[in-house]
Amino acid sequence: MGKGRFKIILKLLALVKPLLHIMAITVTMGVIGFLCSIFITILGGYGLVNAFGLSTGIATKTILVTVLLLAVLRGVLRYAEQASGHYIAFRLLAIIRDKVFKALRRLAPAKLEGKDKGNLISIITSDIELLEVFYAHTIAPVTIAIITSGIMLFFIGSFNPVLAVVALLAYITVGYILPRQNSKRGKEDGKQYRNSFGELNSYVLDSLRGLRETIQFNDGQDRLEKMVKSSDELDGLQEKLKEHEAKTKAITDTVILLFSLGMLFTGIFLWSRGIVDFVGVVIPTIAMMSSFGPVVALSNLSNNLLQTLACGERVLAILEEEPEVMEVEGKEEIDFHGISCEEVNFSYDDEKILSDFTIEIPKNKILGITGKSGSGKSTFLKLLMRFWDRDNGDIKVSGKDIKELNTSCLRKIQSYVTQETYLFKDSIEANIKLSRPEATHEEVVEAAKKASIHEFIMSLPEGYNTKVSELGESLSGGERQRLGIARAFLQDSPLLLLDEPTSNLDSLNEGIILKSIKEECKDKTVVLISHRKSTMNIAHEEYSVERGRVS
């Protein structure tokens, strides 16, 4: 097993710590269950020897009663082992999903901007789901195989140490050497399959979101052909994995047969030399043949592990990725008294966005910022929200470095309305209350009135309880934008950051909203970004941004 895959396994194992006690119970039941199954066959061998009239020291009646008891016990223990193993697996999947969502929240938005959304969905859903193979069908079986094989080596060795050596070689070959070689051969195919699966998810998601444009420009056939081509490539990769699995099974079965014959011939050889009796030939051979179950499970695991470890690698990559901006906590809370930015520089990779950006944002004033697209206006608001950190320069809120403010405090004093308002598949009221979940219905209505959206909401069949479709597609751009503004009014923060808040509105609704902003924000600070000259009429001060500089 490669060093990288071994590290992945160790990291996945570390997540089991809280459930180690249940894992110990699972392993114990698994070991006893397998021993029951193995000794049913071994006792059958003793019964066969008795039938030939040879003495084994065990009465046939005792053998029959014991076999019956072991059969019942095997069934009970197998059920209990599987139940506890899957309990661990599904508990861990819930824990991992929680960790992944926390990691995504920590990484957003800087590290997630530009990330393939379909691939992320694939990781959150199917990749994590496939880890069930590792937790329910790998950890316990490996431990069970090692313990069970150890016990069987002692049993077989009690007849003759040479026979134990043959069994040891068989267990190591089937349980370790073959899985290791199989894993090496199929590693890249497993990884490629998971990545291709994620890419296809992204393409389908992208196609669904752009369905109207696809129909409008008659591009459906082209997208369908690409989708079919990707599906065929995915089928091809899956066929390779299945072919690899079939070859692995054939090789494993062949090796088991050869070792079984080897054990038989070794026993016959020792018998011919008078070292063991007839029982010492039959029972060790039957014992080894019937005890391959746990190690065969390991051999079969190598096929499933190809995809599982690829999934684990993708999940761990998210959990271990460092955020662009670290959240701050434990600092003193502050009140808002204005913002000062001095010689701020910021770049996306090698692309310079803001250069020596200097501006004062006084308390209780409306500050307007205009400029061409790509000049850095929206980026400036994101720096104020601390979605990213500036490269150098100073950004101070109430005289304190923005990096030294508690993230929760920063979120409380800021309301941010973006160019595109995202709406969740929920009621209109729930979407507005996103900014303040504890708000009353009356407060939601008041915020909607300020955003000039109340009358439209009341015209809907279910009013504020009307469900919004996925991505808010049932509403126009202007309606979504006004709901975003309503959120900001409901949050009632002292600093309001508005990025093109009226870009999707007609002149009448723009006038109503601008009037609301001017009247309702007399005791608030507003940073207003817009291309429209009419929007700037409410600003107390107006600045222009060109090539990342304020003029």
Side-chain angles (χ1 to χ4, degrees), residues 8 74 91:
I8 292 169
R74 168 59 173 161
R91 277 281 294 155

Side-chain angles (χ1 to χ4, degrees), residues 246-263:
K247 286 179 180 177
T248 299
K249 193 172 188 312
I251 292 168
T252 302
D253 290 346
T254 303
V255 170
I256 288 173
L257 178 62
L258 291 174
F259 271 110
S260 299
L261 291 172
M263 176 65 85

Side-chain angles (χ1 to χ4, degrees), residues 39-316:
F39 275 90
I40 286 172
T41 311
I42 291 171
L43 287 170
Y46 276 108
L48 189 64
V49 173
N50 281 347
F52 280 111
L54 298 173
S55 175
T56 61
I58 307 174
T60 302
K61 185 177 179 182
T62 303
I63 290 172
L64 290 173
V65 172
T66 308
V67 165
L68 184 63
L69 290 173
L70 289 177
V72 173
L73 189 58
R74 168 59 173 161
V76 172
L77 289 171
R78 180 64 174 168
Y79 175 83
E81 177 211 338
Q82 289 293 307
S84 59
H86 282 84
Y87 170 79
I88 290 170
F90 293 126
R91 277 281 294 155
L92 284 171
L93 294 192
I95 291 168
I96 291 170
R97 281 203 175 93
D98 182 58
K99 285 178 180 288
V100 167
F101 278 111
K102 283 178 180 175
L104 291 175
R105 182 184 176 280
R106 193 175 65 248
L107 294 172
K111 281 289 184 75
L112 297 187
E113 217 169 73
K115 285 259 190 185
D116 196 325
K117 301 299 185 290
N119 236 324
L120 284 175
I121 291 170
S122 177
I123 290 170
I124 293 167
T125 54
S126 58
D127 279 13
I128 292 178
E129 198 65 37
L130 267 173
L131 290 180
E132 185 264 344
V133 173
F134 180 77
Y135 290 116
H137 306 290
T138 304
I139 302 174
V142 168
T143 312
I144 290 167
I146 292 169
I147 296 172
T148 305
S149 298
I151 293 170
M152 291 311 299
L153 286 174
F154 277 108
F155 177 77
I156 294 169
S158 67
F159 291 91
N160 190 275
V162 175
L163 299 174
V165 171
V166 175
L168 177 62
L169 291 173
Y171 295 150
I172 291 173
T173 303
V174 175
Y176 176 71
I177 295 174
L178 290 182
R180 186 182 179 196
Q181 294 304 314
N182 293 334
S183 183
K184 275 184 180 178
R185 284 196 296 270
K187 178 193 173 187
E188 288 306 315
D189 289 337
K191 191 172 182 179
Q192 191 180 349
Y193 178 83
R194 293 314 308 168
N195 288 334
S196 297
F197 186 78
E199 287 168 10
L200 180 58
N201 272 357
S202 295
Y203 191 79
V204 171
L205 186 63
D206 198 35
S207 298
L208 289 172
R209 285 178 171 173
L211 198 57
R212 283 184 298 193
E213 286 75 8
T214 300
I215 294 170
Q216 180 183 346
F217 297 106
N218 197 29
D219 192 40
Q221 190 60 37
D222 183 52
R223 294 197 75 84
L224 181 61
E225 286 174 3
K226 287 180 181 176
M227 210 177 292
V228 170
K229 184 182 176 184
S230 295
S231 297
D232 289 342
E233 288 174 357
L234 202 62
D235 283 342
L237 286 170
Q238 194 167 37
E239 283 300 316
K240 283 179 74 175
L241 288 171
K242 287 185 179 296
E243 185 181 333
H244 176 79
E245 187 176 347
K247 286 179 180 177
T248 299
K249 193 172 188 312
I251 292 168
T252 302
D253 290 346
T254 303
V255 170
I256 288 173
L257 178 62
L258 291 174
F259 271 110
S260 299
L261 291 172
M263 176 65 85
L264 178 61
F265 291 140
T266 303
I268 292 171
F269 175 78
L270 294 173
W271 179 52
S272 68
R273 294 297 179 92
I275 299 172
V276 297
D277 57 9
F278 183 70
V279 174
V281 176
V282 176
I283 299 303
T285 303
I286 291 174
M288 193 184 77
M289 291 177 70
S290 63
S291 63
F292 273 117
V295 288
V296 167
L298 298 189
S299 186
N300 293 336
L301 274 176
S302 65
N303 305 308
N304 295 325
L305 278 178
L306 296 176
Q307 284 193 58
T308 303
L309 293 182
C311 294
E313 187 174 6
R314 281 154 54 95
V315 170
L316 289 169

